[in-house]
Amino acid sequence: MLARLGHTTGVGIVACSIVVALLGARLAGGRLSSFERLPAHGLMLPLAALAVLVAELVLGWAGLPAGPLYAIALALSGLLVGCFMLVNRSVTGTGLIAAGLLLNALVVGLNGAMPVSAYAAARAGLGKRAVADDRHEPAATGTRLRILGDVIAVPLPLRPEVDSIGDLLAAGGLAQLVFLAMRPPRRRGVSDDAVASARMLTRSD
C-alpha cells in the first residue's frame, strides 16, 4: 500500500483555500484585526471536538481498535462542531463547513473508515493503489455512499492528495468565512442615507 498516507486528507486543499482567502481579503483592503468583530459563541464546542480527536489518537496508540474508535470519535467531534456552527449560523461560511464535516462523518460512520478511490489516488500522482490504514480503506463495490469518500484527485504541486466532497465544502466554507470576516466595515454612502430617509418617511405616513 502507498506510504504517503497523510496525502489522502483534505489538509492541503484547506490550507490553500485559507491562504487564497487571506491574500484576496488583504488585497481588497481587509485586515486580520477585523476578526474581532466576528460574532462567535460557544467556543468550547470546537475545543471539545478537538479534545475528542486527540483522545482517539491516544487511545489508538494504547492499543484499542482504531477503526471503530475513529468512526465514533469523528461522529462525536462532527456533532460538536455542527452544534457550534448551528449556534453561529449567522456567520457566513459556517453552513458549508458544517455540511462538509457532516458528509465526512456520515461516510466514515457507515464504512468504519474513509473510503479512498485507487483511480483518484493514481490520477493525483499518489500511486496505482488506494491508501489503507486504520482510518482509510480502499473503496470497493461494497462501499456505502462511495461518492462521499476520497474520490477527487487534487494534484497540488507540493502535496498531492485525494479529497472528498466534504473536504471541498469545508475548505470553501473556511475560505468564505476568512474572506468575509476580514472585509473592512461597510461605510454608509449617500444612497444608504437616502434609503433610510425614505423608510422613515414611509413609516411616518
Side-chain angles (χ1 to χ4, degrees), residues 126-139:
L126 295 177
K128 296 183 178 180
R129 290 182 295 179
V131 176
D133 72 342
D134 292 330
R135 295 170 179 80
H136 300 79
E137 65 180 16

Side-chain angles (χ1 to χ4, degrees), residues 185-202:
R186 184 184 177 190
R187 297 179 181 179
R188 289 177 59 88
V190 176
S191 58
D192 294 332
D193 293 333
V195 171
S197 299
R199 288 178 178 174
M200 291 297 293
L201 289 174
T202 303

Side-chain angles (χ1 to χ4, degrees), residues 21-34:
L22 285 170
L23 293 176
R26 192 67 186 92
L27 291 174
R31 297 184 178 181
L32 288 174
S33 58
S34 298

Side-chain angles (χ1 to χ4, degrees), residues 27 72 97 141:
L27 291 174
I72 294 172
I97 298 171
T141 54

Side-chain angles (χ1 to χ4, degrees), residues 20-205:
V20 170
L22 285 170
L23 293 176
R26 192 67 186 92
L27 291 174
R31 297 184 178 181
L32 288 174
S33 58
S34 298
F35 275 100
E36 297 176 357
R37 305 194 312 268
L38 196 64
H41 307 284
L43 293 177
M44 290 302 296
L45 291 171
L47 292 178
L50 179 61
V52 168
L53 294 177
V54 171
E56 183 269 330
L57 287 175
V58 173
L59 292 175
W61 291 334
L64 292 180
L69 193 63
Y70 173 62
I72 294 172
L74 184 61
L76 181 56
S77 61
L79 178 62
L80 291 170
V81 174
C83 290
F84 173 75
M85 298 302 177
L86 181 63
V87 171
N88 298 280
R89 58 187 178 277
S90 61
V91 180
T92 304
T94 55
L96 286 176
I97 298 171
L101 294 175
L102 177 62
L103 292 181
N104 281 346
L106 177 62
V107 69
V108 170
L110 290 175
N111 295 283
M114 175 61 79
V116 184
S117 166
Y119 175 72
R123 289 195 62 187
L126 295 177
K128 296 183 178 180
R129 290 182 295 179
V131 176
D133 72 342
D134 292 330
R135 295 170 179 80
H136 300 79
E137 65 180 16
T141 54
T143 298
R144 299 180 178 89
L145 292 181
R146 180 173 180 172
I147 189 63
L148 299 182
D150 285 341
V151 297
I152 303 172
V154 183
L156 297 174
L158 299 178
R159 198 183 194 283
E161 59 188 30
V162 184
D163 296 328
S164 66
I165 295 175
D167 293 333
L168 299 186
L169 287 176
L174 283 168
Q176 188 180 32
L177 188 152
V178 169
F179 181 82
L180 295 180
M182 286 181 61
R183 285 187 312 177
R186 184 184 177 190
R187 297 179 181 179
R188 289 177 59 88
V190 176
S191 58
D192 294 332
D193 293 333
V195 171
S197 299
R199 288 178 178 174
M200 291 297 293
L201 289 174
T202 303
R203 291 177 182 175
S204 62
D205 291 342

